[in-house]
Amino acid sequence: MKILAIETSCDDTCAAVLENDCLISSVISSQTDLHAKWGGVVPDIAKRAHIERIEPEIKIALKRAKIKMEEIDAIAVTVGPGLAIALGVGVNKAKELAIKFNKKLIGINHVEGHILANLIKNKEGKPERKIEFPALALTVSGGHTKLVLMEQTHPSRRCGTPSLEKGGFKYTVVGETLDDAAGEALDKAAKMMGLGYPGGPIIERLAETGDKNYLKLPRPLSTQKNFDYSFSGLKTSFYYQIREWPKEKIGENLTNLSASFQDAVFDSLLIKFKKAIEFYNPKTLMASGGVVANLELRKRLRKLAKEFNAPLLMPVKKQFNTDNAAMIGVVGYYKALRGEFVENKEELDRNPRLNF
Ligand code: AMP
Ligand code: MG
């Protein structure tokens, strides 16, 4: 099965071609340069850039895969969650192509995409990854921070050994941020320090040589029994502590401030992940989303998994952590196996607040 996947939920215009769950080509056109001076994503600018770039991106993806539009079997597109006017560009393009070329159409949840980014295979079908259920996934990016319990629904348990291809997946959000996403918090802290956008990677680099105990910052909600997150209090505490500092003092302490802030964000993430592991006893752990590109976070996640003697899956390539269309194509593949195609193509709509 040949799948064309499209993703435009935020500020990356992405297209990919897959043969089943194996990635043949993937193009990502990042708009960070356009949004950098505003310190965050400006929806109108994102929409315009998606409109300009989506068609050429699709053409390049098909060309690199050496596949013609006529040979594609299904088109998978992100319908939500995300920025409404950005999502609309991808959804409209997918509908237009599906109708014009008479292709099957599949609507995809972006967060499911981040989770299944762990299952993207290369052209040779590698890596072969297994998920034992229940699995617990931490998805942490610029738009969301969620702990998702993933189970498998087997229509017929007696038909051979359960495989990933058989039956559907059931997702339950067991915890999520009540305000800002973790990546968003990192981006905002970077902005307060006068650093560039996106802030996550810049803070990562500065934090390497900083003192994480330099500022005393809260770990919001960490003593509560639920598995929810909050990052706005942390951001405010950071702001109040440095707002009266002269520019020079901030400049001299960029490494310490970055290390302190990053540590507070990662502690918060890990505290709740650990609590949820203790509660749900998952057989597989997964972590993905833009912030999981961070090497320090990956190290801490590996240590946590070791403590529980549980396998931990993280996307094999850095570019599979941040937004991409390959992950949308993989979800499309599993949905296609179950025949979950859009019935009336004209009616497919974006859903900015889509949940599981
Ligand atoms: P996404 O929304 O999945 O495309 O991810 C983008 C978010 O991930 C932004 O908030 C970035 O600041 C954050 N991010 C990307 N790379 C890193 C990194 N190396 N460390 C921390 N955060 C990162
Ligand atoms: Mg994302």
Side-chain angles (χ1 to χ4, degrees):
M1 182 171 21
K2 292 182 176 61
I3 300 168
L4 170 68
I6 298 171
E7 151 68 43
T8 63
S9 70
C10 191
D11 62 342
D12 294 300
T13 316
C14 319
V17 175
L18 293 88
E19 169 97 53
N20 299 329
D21 50 353
C22 302
L23 183 62
I24 312 294
S25 71
S26 169
V27 249
I28 301 170
S29 169
S30 164
Q31 302 171 8
T32 41
D33 48 336
L34 299 179
H35 301 284
K37 72 170 168 185
W38 308 102
V41 179
V42 184
D44 262 322
I45 297 178
K47 179 189 170 184
R48 243 178 297 143
H50 284 314
I51 291 175
E52 257 171 43
R53 298 174 184 190
I54 189 67
E55 191 143 342
E57 292 280 297
I58 292 171
K59 282 197 176 133
I60 296 170
L62 288 167
K63 196 171 169 204
R64 285 196 190 152
K66 299 191 179 74
I67 286 174
K68 290 200 182 73
M69 193 57 221
E70 288 75 12
E71 298 169 73
I72 292 289
D73 298 297
I75 300 174
V77 62
T78 306
V79 292
L83 291 174
I85 58 175
L87 287 164
V89 179
V91 170
N92 286 340
K93 182 52 74 183
K95 276 159 74 169
E96 179 196 311
L97 292 173
I99 293 166
K100 182 172 168 195
F101 291 92
N102 194 23
K103 303 296 175 189
K104 300 237 189 252
L105 185 60
I106 315 168
I108 308 290
N109 181 318
H110 178 84
V111 179
E112 184 173 10
H114 274 302
I115 296 173
L116 296 198
N118 283 301
L119 300 181
I120 299 171
K121 291 179 184 156
N122 65 15
K123 276 183 218 159
E124 284 78 45
K126 301 256 163 48
E128 286 268 8
R129 283 180 149 181
K130 259 202 209 140
I131 303 180
E132 288 213 60
F133 297 93
L136 188 66
L138 173 70
T139 60
V140 50
S141 67
H144 22 79
T145 304
K146 285 184 200 293
L147 273 173
V148 182
L149 190 71
M150 182 180 176
E151 289 158 293
Q152 198 173 26
T153 50
H154 295 292
S156 168
R157 277 190 166 277
R158 277 170 297 167
C159 282
T161 20
S163 72
L164 278 179
E165 277 78 6
K166 282 185 195 145
F169 302 131
K170 182 179 160 227
Y171 300 95
T172 314
V173 178
V174 297
E176 62 188 324
T177 183
L178 305 178
D179 38 60
D180 293 350
E184 194 182 354
L186 288 163
D187 294 339
K188 285 179 179 168
K191 197 177 173 187
M192 286 181 222
M193 291 187 275
L195 303 170
Y197 173 83
I202 304 172
I203 288 184
E204 172 176 33
R205 189 173 43 77
L206 289 164
E208 279 169 22
T209 51
D211 172 11
K212 63 182 187 201
N213 299 313
Y214 183 77
L215 276 195
K216 209 168 151 43
L217 291 165
R219 273 56 176 161
L221 306 187
S222 62
T223 54
Q224 289 193 10
K225 276 214 175 105
N226 59 36
F227 310 118
D228 288 331
Y229 293 103
S230 165
F231 292 103
S232 83
L234 169 61
K235 182 190 67 192
T236 312
S237 168
F238 186 71
Y239 171 71
Y240 278 109
Q241 291 191 56
I242 66 166
R243 76 176 160 165
E244 312 231 301
W245 288 17
K247 263 194 176 150
E248 301 73 50
K249 189 173 173 191
I250 294 184
E252 282 160 14
N253 283 292
L254 286 176
T255 57
N256 296 331
L257 294 174
S258 296
S260 302
F261 193 82
Q262 180 176 279
D263 193 54
V265 171
F266 292 176
D267 263 359
S268 303
L269 289 174
L270 274 279
I271 290 168
K272 289 299 173 84
F273 198 22
K274 184 173 179 176
K275 278 191 187 182
I277 297 169
E278 283 162 351
F279 189 82
Y280 291 102
N281 259 319
K283 295 207 177 84
T284 308
L285 302 177
M286 290 188 275
S288 53
V291 182
V292 177
N294 186 294
L295 295 180
E296 173 63 23
L297 179 61
R298 290 172 91 91
K299 200 165 90 188
R300 291 184 61 174
L301 285 163
R302 274 191 215 102
K303 198 169 152 229
L304 181 72
K306 219 171 166 188
E307 241 178 76
F308 288 92
N309 204 12
L312 168 69
L313 305 183
M314 292 189 282
V316 282
K317 285 191 175 170
K318 214 169 178 171
Q319 66 264 34
F320 297 157
N321 283 291
T322 43
D323 291 345
N324 64 84
M327 66 187 195
I328 302 304
V330 171
V331 182
Y333 164 69
Y334 283 101
K335 283 190 146 236
L337 288 179
R338 301 193 295 270
E340 289 175 22
F341 301 109
V342 173
E343 264 175 38
N344 185 342
K345 294 174 201 170
E346 294 279 2
E347 278 176 16
L348 181 71
D349 204 0
R350 65 195 175 182
N351 187 348
R353 294 180 174 277
L354 181 65
N355 216 323
F356 286 113

